[in-house]
Amino acid sequence: MNIPEIFAENVFNEKAMKSALSPDVYRSLKKAVNENEPLDFAVAQEVADAMKDWAISKGATHYTHWFQPMTGITAEKHDSFISPVKGGGVIMEFSGKALIKGEPDASSFPNGGIRATFEARGYTAWDPSSYAFIKDNTLCIPTAFCSFSGEALDKKTPLIRSLEALNKKALKVLHLMGKTDVSKVHVTVGAEQEYFLIDKETAQKREDLVFTGRTLFGAKPPKGQELGDHYFGAIKPRVKSFMESLDRELWKVGILAKTEHNEAAPAQHELAPVFTLVNTATDHNQLTMELMKKVAERHGLVCLLAEKPFKGVNGSGKHNNWSLVTDTGINLLDPGETPAENLMFLIFLSATLKAVDDYQDVLRASAASAGNDHRLGAHEAPPAIISTFLGEDLLNALKAFINNSTYKTGKTTMRLGAKILPPLPKDTTDRNRTSPLAFTGNKFEFRMVGSNDSIADCNVVLNTAVAESLDAFAKELEVSKDVTKTVHDIVERTFNEHERIIFNGNNYSDEWVKEAEKRGLKNLRTTPEAVVSYTAEKNVELFEKHKVLTKGELVAIERVMLENYTRIVKIEALTMLDMASKEIYPAINNYVSKLLEVIELKKSNGINSSTDLELANKLSDLNSNVYRETQKLRILIEKVNGITEDYKTASLVIKDEVLPCMEELRKSADEAETLTDEKYWPYPSYAKLLFSVK
Ligand code: ADP
Ligand code: MG
């Protein structure tokens, strides 16, 4: 395989555009993208034509506007290029209008109430800052999705708006600091993706995996991850072959898949791409998830992206590595060898600290989902409390700067062996794996995002909150007579005011929960508690001020997230009811009746059967619990169904009543599983699932 040759062969990127477009059209398109300007219609028509010819030459027959509705999945509606001509034939056609704007039947996408109050139609609008690509013989055009009157109904629109806000404020600060050669600040992101691979035939025997993508029952296997023998362990042949196919698919659509390794849990793996601009990184992550599932299927596997597919086994997340880079090539979060002298770095570091402290609630909310609630706070994933890890070295450098003393960091740089990656400062301090937002050399790594969720949300919050910090700093710098002194004052004050958000210790410890409470940090444990932050007054003010989201759009986000939460848990609860009533209850009874036969037989032969009786009694009791909890759960689901309009109350009933009942039901069923002859148990055990792939 010639990787450079196949890389991005299905992407309408710079190279493809340069050869397909006339120089004038290419220039106009680039100018529009660089300056965030709308595109001239005549230019769009030429781009559409060239795109179509290019796509057809690659075997494409259809095109689609590819977009990311508010639930975080991707959506597409395929149209073929054919257009009838006189005499019954067809020609292949694609108009500039069809490139720029689409009108999908939007009525089945979630809108959080927006479309009901305005207009039923939805539009997709071409995002020329993300390359079109071919997937399954279809030209996919990345688009934003909005309502008739322009409200965002998707994840991309707010992301692009937040980039414009951040760029504006960052430029202002840089120019005030004398960096007048910079004309654009970009956000770079590398999203590491965790996932599980399970044998498909085994997985399909379980209704919970088929319907919900995670197990709702299942006793702990005799061997879990205690030995730590899976993490970075040798990759099994079937997994290896999957990874090779996946890499190939990803490379073809221009995704820089770079690192693949086993993760901590058995059957868990990770893929890390090389970082890129955040808008592209977001599209790429959505595409990566889709291709992971598709390629797994081809290999007789199932790729589980749920945050917590197995109880008692590490869950999966997504690490959002976030940084800022200028068009002149400076990483603004790179401390360099002498961070205490690097004013630009110190200002942007301070802006991030302030942003994360001031908007910790909504940053936490951006990672909230039903699936992620099972992960955040478990002793494996960052807790629900936002804090940031800077490391001793950087902290010392920061303090030295504030105290006007000198501090020499032990930093050296290292090369990663591939030219495309920048030289990274090598940390002298240990990596902190427990922090939700760790400074890792030249970027912040936000680790709260769930494996199934779009990375757009957290980046919208980070970008906007940092824009707000920078705006405040710019105001001070604007009236300053001595920029160096003002920078010093800003850094010192920010550190003093926001030191509480810095925590270098173990985030998994119970002491931290107490300490965080003392510091006044928020601990929003669950989705219903976290998501309402989107509409808190100070957050509405933030997003409206920077023109990223309106109050109406924020209400819609809150509503979609909470409705989604309720819907997901309800499907899980219904699946549990089905499994408990039709599979588990009868299975336990079958085994009990087998035990009773044994008891009879033993009795008639004068053999002591007291332990059989004890076991039969125990199982019978557990089955009674299963039955009773099932009945309770049925009633609770009815209760939730009865709360149709009030989505907040519904989500609270889910959190406070439905989920605890599901937990109880599971407890009895799982205990019964450990006591029942395997032959009688209706679905494959954890051991079979987790060790199913060789
Ligand atoms: P790890 O966190 O596993 O030790 P790395 O530090 O090499 O690995 O990088 C993790 C991810 O961070 C990769 O996707 C990498 O491309 C990304 N990354 C590295 N530098 C930056 C940057 N400046 N901006 C955004 N992401 C980055
Ligand atoms: Mg990482």
Side-chain angles (χ1 to χ4, degrees):
M1 172 172 37
N2 185 338
I3 298 171
E5 213 158 86
I6 66 158
F7 187 79
E9 69 176 9
N10 289 340
V11 185
F12 196 62
N13 58 10
E14 297 303 317
K15 195 171 142 215
M17 280 187 223
K18 265 190 189 148
S19 73
L21 299 171
S22 70
D24 276 355
V25 169
Y26 176 75
R27 254 195 311 276
S28 309
L29 180 61
K30 288 307 311 170
K31 190 164 175 285
V33 172
N34 288 337
E35 293 167 19
N36 303 330
E37 294 293 335
L39 200 65
D40 187 72
F41 194 76
V43 174
Q45 184 55 56
E46 266 207 58
V47 176
D49 262 335
M51 234 187 225
K52 176 204 69 188
D53 291 342
W54 169 84
I56 289 171
S57 79
K58 301 263 173 196
T61 51
H62 288 68
Y63 71 91
T64 180
H65 276 198
W66 186 77
F67 58 104
Q68 297 157 34
M70 286 160 95
T71 39
I73 43 135
T74 49
E76 40 193 79
K77 174 187 151 221
H78 296 192
D79 280 302
S80 72
F81 288 120
I82 61 164
S83 174
V85 287
K86 264 198 194 129
V90 293
I91 53 163
M92 301 299 259
E93 216 174 53
F94 185 44
S95 68
K97 192 168 156 275
L99 166 64
I100 290 183
K101 188 171 135 189
E103 280 184 56
D105 172 15
S107 54
S108 49
F109 293 109
N111 58 70
I114 279 184
R115 281 181 47 261
T117 41
F118 296 89
E119 159 76 41
R121 259 181 306 178
Y123 291 127
T124 50
W126 178 36
D127 166 20
S129 62
S130 183
Y131 300 133
F133 58 92
I134 295 171
K135 176 171 69 80
D136 299 334
N137 293 334
T138 301
L139 170 67
C140 298
I141 299 147
T143 51
F145 179 43
C146 62
S147 76
F148 179 72
S149 36
E151 281 89 2
L153 292 175
D154 70 344
K155 306 263 178 193
K156 191 188 263 285
T157 310
L159 180 64
I160 294 177
R161 291 181 192 154
S162 76
L163 288 172
E164 290 183 14
L166 180 59
N167 175 52
K168 205 155 104 196
K169 303 302 174 191
L171 278 183
K172 197 157 185 193
V173 166
L174 286 172
H175 291 171
L176 287 164
M177 288 177 75
K179 278 272 157 204
T180 47
D181 58 330
V182 176
S183 52
K184 191 146 185 182
V185 174
H186 299 280
V187 174
T188 52
V189 160
E192 302 165 65
Q193 174 76 45
E194 292 178 335
Y195 61 97
F196 279 83
L197 277 185
I198 305 294
D199 177 63
K200 188 173 161 194
E201 215 179 295
T202 316
Q204 274 176 337
K205 294 188 179 129
R206 296 191 55 130
E207 219 175 281
D208 48 6
L209 284 180
V210 171
F211 289 144
T212 74
R214 70 185 199 96
T215 60
L216 303 168
F217 293 103
K220 207 173 170 316
K223 177 181 186 287
Q225 61 196 62
E226 303 83 359
L227 297 178
D229 52 354
H230 191 256
Y231 192 51
F232 279 59
I235 299 174
K236 292 176 181 146
R238 256 183 101 186
V239 175
K240 177 90 186 124
S241 144
F242 159 84
M243 285 177 175
E244 278 167 9
S245 304
L246 178 63
D247 276 343
R248 202 187 156 85
E249 293 295 325
L250 294 173
W251 289 334
K252 282 202 281 193
V253 289
I255 297 174
L256 289 154
K258 174 91 183 150
T259 317
E260 308 222 21
H261 61 76
N262 289 351
E263 261 300 325
Q268 193 186 26
H269 312 279
E270 182 190 286
L271 181 143
V274 179
F275 69 94
T276 172
L277 299 184
V278 62
N279 186 22
T280 308
T282 306
D283 287 354
H284 280 181
N285 183 253
Q286 293 297 123
L287 203 48
T288 300
M289 291 193 284
E290 184 184 326
L291 288 170
M292 276 178 165
K293 288 190 195 155
K294 216 182 257 173
V295 172
E297 195 69 27
R298 281 210 313 257
H299 285 251
L301 300 165
V302 175
C303 171
L304 300 178
L305 290 174
E307 284 77 12
K308 192 75 179 174
F310 303 98
K311 192 180 175 180
V313 174
N314 267 13
S316 302
K318 199 143 21 197
H319 293 174
N320 187 79
N321 293 272
W322 178 95
S323 193
L324 301 168
V325 68
T326 66
D327 59 344
T328 54
I330 304 166
N331 177 350
L332 295 167
L333 288 176
D334 187 346
E337 304 213 357
T338 47
E341 291 159 29
N342 188 343
L343 296 189
M344 234 171 9
F345 164 72
L346 290 166
I347 272 289
F348 283 89
L349 178 72
S350 302
T352 313
L353 291 181
K354 176 174 158 57
V356 170
D357 189 18
D358 287 344
Y359 298 100
Q360 45 176 293
D361 52 350
V362 67
L363 184 58
R364 157 68 183 100
S366 73
S369 68
N372 218 13
D373 279 6
H374 302 291
R375 174 178 164 262
L376 296 183
H379 283 233
E380 82 204 35
I385 306 163
I386 296 270
S387 69
T388 181
F389 164 86
L390 291 188
E392 290 309 318
D393 222 18
L394 183 54
L395 203 53
N396 288 337
L398 195 57
K399 285 180 184 159
F401 173 77
I402 290 166
N403 301 326
N404 294 311
S405 59
T406 52
Y407 176 78
K408 180 97 187 77
T409 69
K411 277 185 193 295
T412 52
T413 55
M414 61 175 176
R415 297 258 6 161
L416 290 187
K419 282 205 196 82
I420 197 157
L421 286 170
L424 294 183
K426 200 169 171 172
D427 284 333
T428 47
T429 46
D430 258 352
R431 275 291 180 92
N432 184 321
R433 294 259 160 217
T434 68
S435 177
L437 184 71
F439 183 78
T440 49
N442 60 356
K443 60 192 185 288
F444 276 96
E445 182 170 342
F446 185 56
R447 301 181 177 132
M448 263 191 186
V449 187
S451 46
N452 218 352
D453 294 330
S454 163
I455 54 167
D457 299 334
C458 70
N459 288 304
V460 168
V461 175
L462 280 170
N463 297 346
T464 314
V466 171
E468 173 60 18
S469 308
L470 292 170
D471 187 46
F473 296 173
K475 288 203 173 94
E476 272 182 69
L477 289 164
E478 246 166 358
V479 295
S480 156
K481 300 254 166 352
D482 179 348
V483 169
T484 311
K485 183 173 177 306
T486 307
V487 168
H488 190 278
D489 292 348
I490 289 173
V491 173
E492 178 170 4
R493 198 189 49 242
T494 307
F495 181 75
N496 289 336
E497 281 174 9
H498 300 285
E499 194 181 357
R500 66 171 187 167
I501 202 75
I502 303 170
F503 180 61
N504 283 346
N506 179 7
N507 288 256
Y508 297 170
S509 69
D510 297 332
E511 292 79 66
W512 169 233
V513 177
K514 287 185 209 127
E515 163 76 17
E517 197 182 340
K518 254 191 248 152
R519 293 189 189 187
L521 299 178
K522 291 245 164 70
N523 188 2
L524 305 168
R525 287 169 208 272
T526 63
T527 297
E529 290 164 275
V531 164
V532 289
S533 308
Y534 269 106
T535 51
E537 208 176 304
K538 75 170 187 21
N539 298 332
V540 173
E541 235 166 68
L542 169 80
F543 290 114
E544 290 212 317
K545 172 177 166 186
H546 293 278
K547 300 196 166 35
V548 173
L549 290 159
T550 63
K551 171 127 195 230
E553 289 170 332
L554 288 160
V555 170
I557 288 175
E558 176 185 275
R559 178 162 171 181
V560 168
M561 285 178 89
L562 291 180
E563 282 177 347
N564 216 28
Y565 170 83
T566 299
R567 202 169 298 143
I568 286 171
V569 180
K570 235 167 63 182
I571 293 171
E572 291 180 348
L574 287 170
T575 306
M576 284 184 98
L577 280 187
D578 215 43
M579 289 173 80
S581 318
K582 296 185 187 153
E583 295 183 328
I584 299 170
Y585 190 81
I588 298 174
N589 270 353
N590 280 344
Y591 185 51
V592 169
S593 68
K594 175 76 195 167
L595 286 172
L596 292 176
E597 268 174 41
V598 171
I599 291 165
E600 279 310 305
L601 203 63
K602 282 188 177 175
K603 264 192 193 153
S604 61
N605 287 290
I607 300 172
N608 183 348
S609 59
S610 63
T611 53
D612 302 297
L613 191 60
E614 197 181 312
L615 181 56
N617 264 316
K618 174 109 186 123
L619 279 170
S620 202
D621 286 348
L622 287 170
N623 220 11
S624 302
N625 290 348
V626 167
Y627 180 81
R628 271 192 289 272
E629 294 302 329
T630 310
Q631 292 310 96
K632 253 196 238 164
L633 193 54
R634 242 182 259 285
I635 294 166
L636 285 172
I637 293 172
E638 281 311 308
K639 182 171 172 183
V640 178
N641 285 341
I643 313 169
T644 41
E645 271 313 300
D646 187 356
Y647 58 90
K648 280 189 200 170
T649 306
S651 74
L652 290 173
V653 174
I654 290 280
K655 164 173 91 71
D656 296 325
E657 300 181 56
V658 176
L659 281 166
C661 182
M662 284 162 66
E663 198 50 45
E664 276 306 306
L665 169 56
R666 174 174 189 154
K667 219 160 71 196
S668 300
D670 287 358
E671 196 182 339
E673 184 186 345
T674 64
L675 300 173
T676 303
D677 180 345
E678 207 180 12
K679 286 202 295 287
Y680 288 78
W681 207 249
Y683 45 77
S685 65
Y686 266 27
K688 286 221 176 76
L689 287 169
L690 288 166
F691 300 95
S692 63
V693 182
K694 295 285 172 260

